[in-house]
Amino acid sequence: QVHCLNESSEHMLKDMLRGGGDKWLESDADEQLLLHIPIQQSIKLRALRFTTASSKSAHAPKTVKIFVNAPGVEFESAEGGAEAAQEVVLDEAQARGEKVVELRFVRFQNVKHLAIFVVDNQGGEDVTRIDKLELVGLAVEGTKMSDLKKLDDE
């Protein structure tokens, strides 16, 4: 199930993912967020796009750690010992959603669960805001045995 640690009760991950004009994700107690996104069919993930309204750009994510197939990751492990598949610092264009965050493709080949840890935000604000999150990639297709051709011995 999709869930987010430290989300505001008024602006939750589930609402943001459903979309609609006035839906966004906002942190609650401090600027950190930990998004857990299970994926029904394995995907090869190439990039992420975070979008925050330009009027709220100081609240946009800055440092982000991305964990693959680690549904048990929590704040303590995300900050401490757990190894992220990638850690990125978003520039202003990436924070506004004008540019995607390119991922190390080899580390994101068979993604069934994505955990995104937002460490801080662009302006050092108390609250982090994400208006839209897009996953850029493609489904991992199963291998059909009929597609495999027998190689003749030479």
Side-chain angles (χ1 to χ4, degrees):
Q1 180 177 341
V2 169
H3 68 283
C4 182
L5 302 179
N6 194 39
E7 65 185 354
S8 155
S9 57
E10 285 93 43
H11 300 287
M12 299 169 69
L13 175 61
K14 283 188 252 185
D15 297 331
M16 179 199 69
L17 292 175
R18 279 191 201 115
D22 60 346
K23 305 272 191 252
W24 66 88
L25 170 63
E26 203 170 81
S27 64
D28 187 26
D30 60 22
E31 75 281 9
Q32 295 187 331
L33 288 164
L34 184 52
L35 294 69
H36 282 277
I37 304 170
I39 297 160
Q40 288 183 339
Q41 182 181 357
S42 293
I43 59 171
K44 293 180 182 182
L45 199 56
R46 190 177 62 76
L48 295 173
R49 183 188 304 269
F50 295 88
T51 304
T52 298
S54 53
S55 63
K56 300 288 184 183
S57 60
H59 298 271
K62 183 177 182 183
T63 310
V64 177
K65 292 182 180 183
I66 305 154
F67 299 87
V68 172
N69 301 335
V73 73
E74 298 192 10
F75 281 115
E76 194 173 312
S77 55
E79 287 179 294
E83 186 184 338
Q86 190 165 339
E87 182 172 346
V88 290
V89 177
L90 279 64
D91 62 31
E92 286 184 28
Q94 290 169 323
R96 287 193 301 266
E98 295 163 7
K99 277 182 15 195
V100 297
V101 176
E102 296 288 343
L103 300 175
R104 283 190 223 114
F105 196 62
V106 293
R107 294 204 171 190
F108 296 88
Q109 287 295 303
N110 192 18
V111 180
K112 294 183 176 87
H113 181 278
L114 203 60
I116 301 171
F117 175 41
V118 178
V119 179
D120 55 17
N121 56 43
Q122 296 287 327
E125 300 288 338
D126 290 340
V127 172
T128 296
R129 174 177 167 145
I130 303 171
D131 286 71
K132 190 175 180 184
L133 173 65
E134 295 172 72
L135 309 182
V136 181
L138 45 103
V140 175
E141 300 294 334
T143 304
K144 294 182 197 149
M145 297 312 278
S146 60
D147 291 346
L148 297 178
K149 299 198 176 16
K150 186 177 179 187
L151 295 175
D152 292 330
D153 291 332
E154 291 183 8

